[in-house]
Structures are given as structure tokens and as C-alpha cells.
Amino acid sequence: MLGQSVTYPQTYKPEILVPIPRATNRERVGITSPLPFNGADVWHAYEASCLTHSGLPTAGLLKIVVPSHSDFIVESKSLKLYLNSFNMEKMGQTADEANANMAQTVSRDLSNLLCANVVARFFNSDAPSLPTPERDNRFVTIEASDAARSVAISRYTECPSLLRSTNANSEAQFLKSHLLRSNCPVTHQPDWGTIYIMVKGARHVVPASLLEYIVSLRGENHFHEEICELVFKRLQDLLSPSELSVTCRYTRRGGIDITPVRHSSPDSTWLSMTNPDSLTERIDRM
């Protein structure tokens, strides 16, 4: 099914889901067990819908949280087709019951598929949401800084040797860039996002070199989760930090966006984003 034209299912169809092993990319970049990070992949499906027993449609947002230690990720097109298979399914007496039953079914099916405890929650559009790193004014946009003005960009495939480090002061380093782009390894369509990086330790990354490195991902064909882990691994190897956090907020495609979060500390600043019971605030690009 991957990369091929398919017919949208008209009835509930869990067998359409496609798992992809995490180990393939982790072995390639040298990520070994025990994993050097915690975290999760947060999926927001904005076109979630099913029917009540009386035939009334429901509508809302489904937040899905996949732990980073799962053996597999789910291929995004197969997830979109799977979620669409609920559109004409009668799931409960009331809208709330139908939505809760849909979320419970998604949790069960993805947990079985990915060999981990996956949690899905259904939210209405007016549900309160938690703030994101975008509201944290400690993050400096690298491409808007003075350091970016002298950068000559020439690499568009991943090049870790671009990264350079410098001695750190006592403060943590907070950097972000809206220039994150990679490509789907299945369809080769571009995936756009904003990346947030927090570093604590004796060494910091040179911002201009980080900008060059982020741009070097532009020609890479990787899933969102793999890009986040790749950046985490390269910075960990370079800096040996006491604390490191990488969050990639990708824009929506096909009614779904994905936010992988990887962090070395159990009390990471933005760990709340991975809480399935709280809706994540959207940013302008999403």
C-alpha cells in the first residue's frame, strides 16, 4: 500500500494500518539500547469523526500519544485511511459516548500494532489547551539572529560535521528554527516544521553551525520521528550535555500533524505536550 493509490475505506478497517520498525533508522545513526532519551510522538488528527447510533456525525480532534520506546511507528497515510474508516461507523448513543468509544478503539488498535501503550483522546474544538514552546520567549530564532547573516549555505543533505561547539556559561541554551524541512521517505513530499532545542551543560552548540545543520536536513528522506532523533543524537555526541531536549512541531498534512518530543530529563520543560489528557495548543503554522 505504501506509495500507492488506494481506495478510502467506507467501514472500520484496522488491518489497513502499516507499522514501521524504529530500529532500522536507530541502528543507522548509532542509537542503541538503553535509549538515550525519553519522550513521545504526539499526533493531532483534525478530521476525526464517527456517527452516533441515530446516524448523527460527530467532529473534533483526536490526540494520539505514542511512546518513544515503542518498537514501531505507524505510517501516516495508513493512519489517515484508518481514521477515515470510522467516518460512517456508529460508535455510541451520544456524541460524547461515540467519540470516547472511537478513541478507545484507536488506543487499542495502535497499542497492538506498535507494541506499546498508545493513548488516544477525543477533544472538541473549544477544549482548553496547554501552551507550547512557541510562547516561551527564551527560545531564540536562529535565522533571525545576527549569527545567521554571515552563514553561507551549501549543504542540503545531512552533515553532522557542520555542527560546532563552544564553552557554555551557566545558562541553558534555547534555540529554535522555522526552517526545518525534510521529505517523506514514502511519497517524497516535503514535510515542514519548527524545531526547538534546549541544551544544558559545559558546551553549547554554535548557533550559526546549528542553522547550517538544520538546513542540511532539507534533502533528507526520513519520517518526522527519525529527524527528531537524528538531531538529538548529533547534539548529544557533540556536546555530551547534562540535559538535552529536542521538539519538532511539523505542520499539518492530510489533516494530521506530528510533534516528536525527545528529552534526556524526566522533568523536561515541555513534557506536558505529551500528556494525552491535555490538548496541545496550535501554533500559527499549524
Side-chain angles (χ1 to χ4, degrees):
M1 186 186 72
L2 295 183
Q4 300 177 1
S5 177
V6 295
T7 302
Y8 279 79
Q10 298 301 307
T11 57
Y12 169 61
K13 196 171 185 180
E15 62 271 20
I16 206 168
L17 290 166
V18 176
I20 297 171
R22 292 191 190 269
T24 303
N25 187 68
R26 288 176 175 173
E27 291 171 359
R28 185 184 70 83
V29 300
I31 297 174
T32 58
S33 183
L35 294 175
F37 47 69
N38 297 298
D41 307 320
V42 182
W43 297 63
H44 299 102
Y46 297 92
E47 299 168 4
S49 180
C50 59
L51 301 178
T52 65
H53 289 166
S54 66
L56 181 70
T58 74
L61 183 154
L62 195 69
K63 180 176 181 178
I64 304 168
V65 178
V66 181
S68 60
H69 62 260
S70 67
D71 292 339
F72 301 90
I73 60 175
V74 60
E75 194 275 326
S76 58
K77 184 175 181 180
S78 76
L79 180 67
K80 175 180 173 62
L81 294 172
Y82 163 74
L83 294 178
N84 278 327
S85 78
F86 286 94
N87 289 174
M88 304 305 292
E89 286 291 319
K90 295 181 177 180
M91 301 295 294
Q93 291 285 5
T94 66
D96 287 345
E97 182 181 79
N99 293 339
N101 287 339
M102 177 181 172
Q104 184 178 32
T105 303
V106 172
S107 299
R108 181 198 66 210
D109 290 343
L110 289 180
S111 293
N112 292 336
L113 182 82
L114 306 182
C115 302
N117 182 31
V118 178
V119 181
R121 294 287 187 269
F122 206 106
F123 293 91
N124 295 319
S125 58
D126 57 352
S129 58
L130 293 175
T132 71
E134 191 63 27
R135 287 181 175 266
D136 191 332
N137 58 17
R138 292 176 296 178
F139 283 96
V140 176
T141 305
I142 315 172
E143 58 268 22
S145 67
D146 292 339
R149 296 175 183 172
S150 60
V151 175
I153 303 295
S154 60
R155 292 295 298 263
Y156 299 101
T157 54
E158 200 254 345
C159 184
S161 63
L162 292 171
L163 292 166
R164 303 188 306 278
S165 66
T166 185
N167 290 330
N169 55 29
S170 59
E171 300 295 324
Q173 186 177 37
F174 291 82
L175 299 171
K176 68 179 179 180
S177 175
H178 300 296
L179 302 185
L180 179 64
R181 198 202 90 153
S182 52
N183 305 287
C184 173
V186 176
T187 65
H188 298 286
Q189 291 181 347
D191 294 316
W192 306 89
T194 297
I195 187 168
Y196 302 86
I197 295 166
M198 187 283 293
V199 179
K200 288 183 181 179
R203 306 288 292 176
H204 281 176
V205 63
V206 175
S209 76
L210 180 60
L211 179 63
E212 289 183 84
Y213 176 75
I214 290 169
V215 174
S216 81
L217 301 172
R218 197 172 181 87
E220 291 294 317
N221 298 315
H222 289 293
F223 296 109
H224 304 67
E225 302 91 334
E226 295 174 347
I227 288 291
C228 188
E229 294 184 1
L230 179 62
V231 175
F232 187 101
K233 175 66 167 134
R234 300 308 191 202
L235 291 176
Q236 184 187 56
D237 289 347
L238 177 75
L239 305 172
S240 299
S242 59
E243 188 174 340
L244 175 63
S245 176
V246 179
T247 299
C248 299
R249 299 211 71 191
Y250 279 92
T251 59
R252 192 187 315 183
R253 185 149 62 83
I256 298 173
D257 69 50
I258 308 173
T259 298
V261 180
R262 300 293 184 270
H263 54 89
S264 60
S265 172
D267 57 351
S268 175
T269 307
W270 296 106
L271 188 59
S272 59
M273 294 176 65
T274 66
N275 182 351
D277 296 316
S278 300
L279 186 59
T280 307
E281 183 181 57
R282 281 180 284 178
I283 60 177
D284 289 344
R285 296 184 73 191
M286 301 169 80

